[in-house]
Amino acid sequence: AQQKPAVTVLASENKLISQQLQEYLSTDYFRCYTSTDIIGVQVGGIFKNVLAIAAGCIEALQLGVNARSALITRGTLELSRIIEYFGGTPETVMGISGLGDLIATCSSDFSRNWQLGYQLVQSNTNVQWIDTKRGQTEGVRTIQLFYSTIVNESLNLPIMLAIGDVFVNNASPSEVIQYLMKRGLKSEF
């Protein structure tokens, strides 16, 4: 609306329709890209909300830019694993609906999910009360629904598991951060 440069991705199996919509919607300040990976685009757009909650917690705990950078970097790896789990193309995580959306959502205090994470730490109150008061945010419902899958299928998603512990087991953000930092040391990939 402010005509500032922005981008989006349109996902469809029908390349012709995607290209027509791309041409119709693109302007000098709004650029559309296309993708055939519907699942990957959807999964990236859904699960980045969970990580944005963690980013809000990191900000409220005043853990700094390095902590947020680590969350985004390692969160990107986890998003690629989730995309693959659901049958999408893991490389989609490097696009607009993956890394692009993740950076924006984890870096903006306008994000509802980021705000929830921030308020969770600041208010030191029950997360369900905050979320009910605000109207349920996407990230809370997503992690609550996916948490048992992470646990039951032993998926290698330590950040998602930790965030799930906050919303399913009432762990504190500080506790789960300590858990993540004390995990066994390993190679990056």
Side-chain angles (χ1 to χ4, degrees):
Q2 296 174 347
Q3 298 187 3
K4 294 179 180 178
V7 296
T8 193
V9 62
L10 304 167
S12 174
E13 292 175 352
N14 188 321
K15 290 181 182 182
L16 179 61
I17 290 176
S18 288
Q19 289 171 342
Q20 289 172 341
L21 284 170
Q22 179 184 39
E23 289 177 27
Y24 180 74
L25 295 172
S26 294
T27 68
D28 292 343
Y29 53 87
F30 187 71
R31 183 176 177 88
C32 295
Y33 290 90
T34 62
S35 173
T36 57
D37 184 14
I38 296 170
I39 292 172
V41 169
Q42 290 174 332
V43 170
I46 292 167
F47 281 91
K48 54 93 173 155
N49 293 313
V50 178
L51 296 167
I53 294 170
C57 292
I58 286 170
E59 183 68 25
L61 291 167
Q62 299 178 0
L63 299 179
V65 175
N66 283 333
R68 182 175 47 201
S69 174
L71 171 71
I72 291 171
T73 305
R74 299 305 295 172
T76 300
L77 178 62
E78 291 195 21
L79 281 180
S80 72
R81 291 173 180 162
I82 297 169
I83 289 170
E84 185 173 30
Y85 173 82
F86 281 106
T89 305
E91 292 80 14
T92 298
V93 78
M94 297 310 295
I96 303 300
S97 65
L99 184 58
D101 216 358
L102 182 62
I103 291 170
T105 308
C106 288
S107 302
S108 173
D109 57 2
F110 291 111
S111 161
R112 291 180 306 275
N113 292 283
W114 186 97
Q115 288 175 4
L116 183 130
Y118 191 88
Q119 289 176 359
L120 176 63
V121 170
Q122 289 291 305
S123 66
N124 199 22
T125 189
N126 183 290
V127 69
Q128 271 66 32
W129 181 84
I130 293 172
D131 203 36
T132 302
K133 180 181 168 202
R134 296 179 47 81
Q136 193 169 53
T137 54
E138 304 93 327
V140 173
R141 186 77 175 134
T142 298
I143 196 61
Q144 288 174 333
L145 290 171
F146 194 57
Y147 182 78
S148 63
T149 301
I150 297 170
V151 172
N152 294 337
E153 297 190 29
S154 300
L155 300 179
N156 186 11
L157 304 169
I159 297 171
M160 291 288 173
L161 181 65
I163 298 166
D165 282 336
V166 171
F167 292 100
V168 175
N169 299 323
N170 294 317
S172 77
S174 296
E175 289 172 343
V176 299
I177 289 168
Q178 285 303 308
Y179 158 77
L180 288 169
M181 295 305 293
K182 291 180 180 179
R183 290 176 56 237
L185 300 176
K186 60 183 218 144
S187 174
E188 183 177 19
F189 296 107

